Amino acid sequence: MLKEKLLEDLKNSMKEKNVVRKNVIQMVRAAILQVEKDNHVELDDKQIIDIIAKESKKRKDSLGDYEKSGREDLINEIKEEIAILAEYLPKQLSVEEVETIVKEVISEVGATSMKDMGKVMKAAKEKIGAASDGKTINEAVKKLIN
């Protein structure tokens, strides 16, 4: 299970004195624990992957701000954190692969115009999951539905 892998990686990063990796894994474990306590549930791997994807997205979003302000130290740290989080995420789909899945979804839901974008996005996100980010899916839907 992913939880055990995170714990094992945390122990290893502490032994190796890899501070950035240790901090990233602790942050992910804290986010998992928070959701479990708030909802009184035990998360499965799919839900944990969703949390990791959300944390990765936060970092990708903040990367632009750091680049605008020219903070090279923070930019490198954020990129390293994104790379660490990516190790726990499923292989990311290419734009072409996302477009193929979106085409299937468009025909499944019978979408004909931009009015159907919400239905297509919801179904595509369920099908693709954490294998692609919402922005890439959104761009594919906009490109293919018109």
Side-chain angles (χ1 to χ4, degrees), residues 4-123:
E4 285 81 22
K5 180 172 176 22
L6 285 165
L7 181 60
E8 199 58 40
D9 290 351
L10 177 62
K11 290 176 187 174
N12 290 337
S13 62
M14 290 167 105
K15 285 177 191 169
E16 297 165 3
K17 295 184 176 25
N18 185 338
V19 178
V20 176
R21 186 176 194 81
K22 176 186 73 95
N23 290 343
V24 170
I25 295 171
Q26 281 180 325
M27 173 274 312
V28 168
R29 293 188 72 234
I32 293 167
L33 190 64
Q34 186 68 49
V35 171
E36 287 182 337
K37 284 195 180 209
D38 289 350
N39 301 328
H40 307 291
V41 292
E42 181 83 17
L43 296 181
D44 61 16
D45 282 358
K46 185 189 179 316
Q47 293 164 313
I48 291 171
I49 287 172
D50 289 342
I51 290 172
I52 295 170
K54 201 176 290 180
E55 293 296 334
S56 180
K57 182 182 180 336
K58 283 183 197 173
R59 278 154 186 74
K60 287 177 183 171
D61 292 346
S62 67
L63 194 58
D65 296 334
Y66 291 137
E67 287 171 343
K68 285 178 193 161
S69 63
R71 295 286 308 270
E72 281 303 316
D73 55 332
L74 293 174
I75 292 170
N76 293 333
E77 188 176 323
I78 293 288
K79 284 182 179 177
E80 189 176 346
E81 289 179 7
I82 292 169
I84 291 166
L85 290 169
E87 294 172 21
Y88 299 100
L89 293 172
K91 180 183 125 351
Q92 296 296 292
L93 298 175
S94 69
V95 175
E96 293 78 23
E97 292 169 318
V98 171
E99 287 179 0
T100 304
I101 294 170
V102 168
K103 281 178 190 170
E104 292 170 15
V105 170
I106 288 172
S107 63
E108 284 171 18
V109 298
T112 55
S113 69
M114 288 301 279
K115 290 178 186 172
D116 301 319
M117 184 164 179
K119 285 193 289 190
V120 174
M121 281 295 296
K122 183 176 186 240

